[in-house]
Amino acid sequence: MVKAFFVDFYGTVVYEDGEIVSKISDLIYKSGHVESAAEVDGFWWKDFQNMFTNSYGACFETQRVLEEKSIVHTIEKYGASVDAKELAQEMFDYWVKPNIFEESKSFFENSPVPVYVVSNIDTDDVMKAIAYHGLKPAGVFTSEDAKSYKPRKEIFELALKETGLNADEVIHIGDSISSDVKGASALGIRTLWLNRFDKVIPDGVEAITNLLEAFDKI
């Protein structure tokens, strides 16, 4: 019996910061020595992912720290004449006031079971974003709480422990195959991949196109 939804936040409930990322990559490209903004974006993402993957336990660092470090590394890589702190702040400003998907408020307000946010983001940022949109989750669990990022198991284990729920009593919803689907599935949690943009659905993955469709999956 499903007793709760665990739901990712950025990319699932609210839009990701893609426009800000593109703007920052373009600024580094225009002020640096590099052939394209796409090259900047590729290096930046790879550098961030490397630090992100190795950030857990005693080595854990927050998303804010990792993002600013990766921007610094990218600026240095291409000799760009832009200020890392100013660029990072644009991302941070978006994180606390993100654009929300159309049906998200209705999902929280009308869910037949409690909804818990399980997010790879710093606690203060996601709490501000939740308050900004007037959402009322039953609880919030973050990478900062768990000192670990999805798809590692610690954040899911923390959410199960604190809610007193078993893995087979929860459905986790998220937009990332690697972080949400693979991460939650590894603990035996049923997952719904939120495929908003009509991507090819991998074999064995249960998908929905908007959050409200999850109600029919209980």
Side-chain angles (χ1 to χ4, degrees), residues 133-150:
H133 287 295
L135 305 177
K136 298 187 184 301
V140 179
F141 305 100
T142 71
S143 51
E144 190 173 8
D145 296 329
K147 298 294 185 287
S148 171
Y149 293 100
K150 294 180 282 182

Side-chain angles (χ1 to χ4, degrees), residues 7 24-25 40 54-55 70 88 136 139 142 156 161 169 185 187 202:
V7 63
I24 291 173
S25 293
V40 172
N54 292 289
S55 177
S70 64
K136 298 187 184 301
T142 71
F156 296 109
K161 178 182 177 181
E169 296 176 322
S185 295
L187 268 74

Side-chain angles (χ1 to χ4, degrees), residues 30-51:
K30 288 178 177 177
S31 66
H33 307 287
V34 57
E35 292 188 359
S36 68
E39 183 179 339
V40 172
D41 192 58
F43 174 85
W44 179 15
W45 175 246
K46 190 175 294 185
D47 185 72
F48 174 79
Q49 278 295 108
N50 181 59
M51 292 189 292

Side-chain angles (χ1 to χ4, degrees), residues 59-200:
C59 297
F60 178 82
E61 293 183 295
T62 64
Q63 281 257 27
R64 284 190 173 228
V65 169
L66 294 178
E67 284 290 10
E68 188 166 334
K69 278 187 176 182
S70 64
I71 291 173
V72 168
H73 294 166
T74 307
I75 289 171
E76 291 175 346
K77 167 75 173 176
Y78 298 114
S81 56
V82 286
D83 185 272
K85 287 190 178 297
E86 289 183 4
L87 297 184
Q89 190 60 52
E90 290 203 42
M91 297 190 74
F92 304 158
D93 289 344
Y94 178 80
W95 290 354
V96 299
K97 292 183 178 181
N99 298 321
I100 192 167
F101 287 109
E102 183 177 2
E103 84 284 3
S104 292
K105 289 186 179 181
S106 180
F107 172 75
F108 279 85
E109 291 169 357
N110 297 301
S111 176
V113 295
V115 177
Y116 296 88
V117 170
V118 180
S119 175
N120 267 355
I121 198 66
D122 303 347
T123 303
D124 187 58
D125 288 325
V126 75
M127 294 304 292
K128 286 179 178 176
I130 287 168
Y132 177 69
H133 287 295
L135 305 177
K136 298 187 184 301
V140 179
F141 305 100
T142 71
S143 51
E144 190 173 8
D145 296 329
K147 298 294 185 287
S148 171
Y149 293 100
K150 294 180 282 182
R152 290 182 61 87
K153 64 181 181 179
E154 289 89 347
I155 188 170
F156 296 109
E157 289 177 332
L158 175 66
L160 290 173
K161 178 182 177 181
E162 293 297 317
T163 58
L165 295 166
N166 297 318
D168 61 0
E169 296 176 322
V170 174
I171 294 177
H172 179 68
I173 308 168
D175 68 304
S176 171
I177 292 288
S178 59
S179 293
D180 295 301
V181 174
K182 292 183 179 179
S185 295
L187 268 74
I189 297 173
R190 181 182 167 197
T191 62
L192 294 175
W193 179 42
L194 185 55
N195 182 20
R196 292 186 182 277
F197 305 109
D198 197 29
K199 297 178 181 178
V200 175

